[in-house]
């Protein structure tokens, strides 16, 4: 019989087990509009104890845009040591193709997403943005333009891309995210629909292994030597991305129950919610968390 998922009340209960922390942003540090209560204190407490902190986000933009957004919520760089985003990972893959698939992409790209995410491909030598799928060699998908839009709104343009068999680079594997109390469609859901249409997609970000290797390299650079995977933990709010990705990378994963699964767990009012429901959804998930926290608090 599988042991119940340990329910922790704060990071203080597990801090001594780990040297490296890979922390999700949206749903863990903030809700897209403001930082969660207790986050600043938790990050300061980890740093004070000599822990190495790497932020890992599926945000479809590079460091400067992500950093600016965090700073607007008071989440300043003195609170962590390093950061990796899916947008940065996508940019690096387009700049230095890691495999034959990326190397075969043509120069002309069609951007499916808002202008705020253009830094994913801007400045790349040999890459040209075009205005329509009909002119493109491939698609860079960063998500919806407006938070009120649905996948159905994108059916026509996805069909045009699929008709031309355009390969798609997805710079955010998330399906949905909370923006305040609102659920918003992410690039991963558009990519999933594109695959249903027969389109070919490569994802950058969680839960895919390459982005964790980048984080391990960042932590090793900070510590002066590679960290023991048994001493690294990922903390996130998604079973599908944060937990599954961390476990596949060989490290522990703590689920924040007050994030994207809060309604399923009846955890919206705080606390862990219903432990039986946590066990139920974890059993159906790709991987099981090694622990749970109600929020990122000390």
């Amino acid at each position: 019989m599988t042991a119940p998922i340990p329910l922790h009340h704060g990071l203080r209960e597990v801090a001594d087990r780990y040297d490296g922390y890979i922390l999700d942003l949206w749903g863990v540090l903030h809700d897209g509009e403001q930082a969660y209560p207790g986050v600043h204190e938790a990050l300061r407490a980890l740093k004070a104890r000599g822990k190495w902190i790497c932020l890992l986000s599926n945000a479809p933009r590079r460091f400067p845009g992500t950093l600016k957004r965090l700073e607007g919520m008071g989440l300043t760089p003195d609170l962590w040591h390093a950061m990796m985003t899916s947008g940065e990972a996508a940019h690096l893959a387009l700049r230095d193709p890691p495999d034959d698939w990326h190397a075969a992409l043509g120069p002309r790209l069609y951007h499916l997403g808002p202008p705020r995410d253009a830094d994913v491909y801007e400045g790349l030598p040999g890459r040209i943005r075009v205005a329509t799928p009909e002119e493109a060699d491939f698609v860079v998908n960063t998500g919806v333009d407006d938070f009120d839009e649905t996948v159905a709104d994108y059916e026509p343009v996805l069909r045009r891309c699929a008709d031309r068999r355009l390969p798609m680079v997805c710079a955010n594997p998330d399906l949905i995210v909370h923006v305040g109390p609102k659920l918003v469609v992410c690039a991963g859901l558009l990519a999933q629909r594109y695959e249903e249409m027969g389109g070919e997609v490569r994802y950058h970000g969680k839960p895919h292994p390459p982005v964790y290797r980048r984080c391990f390299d960042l932590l090793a650079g900070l510590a002066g030597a590679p960290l023991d995977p048994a001493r690294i933990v990922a903390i996130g709010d998604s079973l599908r991305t944060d937990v599954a990705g961390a476990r596949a990378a060989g490290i522990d994963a703590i689920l924040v129950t007050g994030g994207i699964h809060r309604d399923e767990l009846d955890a919206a009012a705080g606390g862990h919610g219903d432990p039986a429901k946590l066990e139920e959804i974890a059993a159906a998930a790709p991987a099981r968390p090694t622990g749970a926290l109600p929020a990122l608090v000390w």
Side-chain angles (χ1 to χ4, degrees), residues 202-252:
R202 291 294 184 276
Y203 294 88
H204 294 278
K206 301 174 287 185
H208 303 280
V211 79
Y212 288 91
R213 291 195 290 270
R214 293 187 186 277
C215 290
F216 295 161
D217 288 344
L218 289 171
L219 289 171
L222 292 166
L227 296 182
D228 180 352
R231 301 283 297 176
I232 302 174
V233 65
I235 302 178
D237 71 320
S238 169
L239 288 164
R240 175 183 166 270
T241 54
D242 299 305
V243 172
R247 300 302 288 149
I251 61 175
D252 283 356

Side-chain angles (χ1 to χ4, degrees), residues 28-31 34-42 295-298:
V28 175
L29 300 190
H30 64 77
D31 67 357
Q34 59 186 350
Y36 290 120
V39 163
H40 297 82
E41 293 79 4
L296 194 75
V297 295
W298 183 248

Side-chain angles (χ1 to χ4, degrees), residues 25-26 30 32-35 55 57 59 61-77 80 83 85 88 116 119:
L25 301 188
W26 216 311
H30 64 77
E33 296 179 338
Q34 59 186 350
L55 305 186
S57 172
R61 61 194 65 89
R62 300 187 65 202
F63 296 149
T66 304
L67 181 59
K68 183 177 180 181
R69 190 179 188 109
L70 290 175
E71 288 179 325
M73 303 179 207
L75 296 166
T76 49
W80 64 85
M83 184 196 304
T85 69
E88 187 73 23
R116 63 179 176 270
D119 64 350

Side-chain angles (χ1 to χ4, degrees), residues 136-285:
D137 298 311
F138 70 100
V139 185
V140 174
N141 169 19
T142 66
V144 298
D145 286 349
D146 187 275
F147 289 162
D148 291 323
E149 291 178 316
T150 67
V151 174
D153 294 317
Y154 285 80
E155 286 275 339
V157 70
L158 289 172
R159 175 52 61 193
R160 288 164 62 192
C161 294
D163 286 346
R164 296 203 63 243
R165 298 182 177 275
L166 298 181
M168 175 183 285
V169 173
C170 179
N172 176 3
D174 284 348
L175 303 181
I176 54 174
V177 70
H178 277 104
V179 178
K182 186 183 184 67
L183 274 177
V184 174
V185 168
C186 293
L189 205 59
L190 299 181
Q192 189 177 80
R193 177 63 185 130
Y194 192 59
E195 288 180 312
E196 291 170 356
M197 292 178 172
E200 191 174 14
V201 181
R202 291 294 184 276
Y203 294 88
H204 294 278
K206 301 174 287 185
H208 303 280
V211 79
Y212 288 91
R213 291 195 290 270
R214 293 187 186 277
C215 290
F216 295 161
D217 288 344
L218 289 171
L219 289 171
L222 292 166
L227 296 182
D228 180 352
R231 301 283 297 176
I232 302 174
V233 65
I235 302 178
D237 71 320
S238 169
L239 288 164
R240 175 183 166 270
T241 54
D242 299 305
V243 172
R247 300 302 288 149
I251 61 175
D252 283 356
I254 294 177
L255 178 73
V256 170
T257 54
I260 199 167
H261 297 293
R262 65 193 184 201
D263 293 337
E264 296 172 83
L265 299 173
D266 294 333
H272 283 293
D274 186 340
K277 290 184 178 179
L278 174 58
E279 295 292 340
E280 181 182 344
I281 67 170

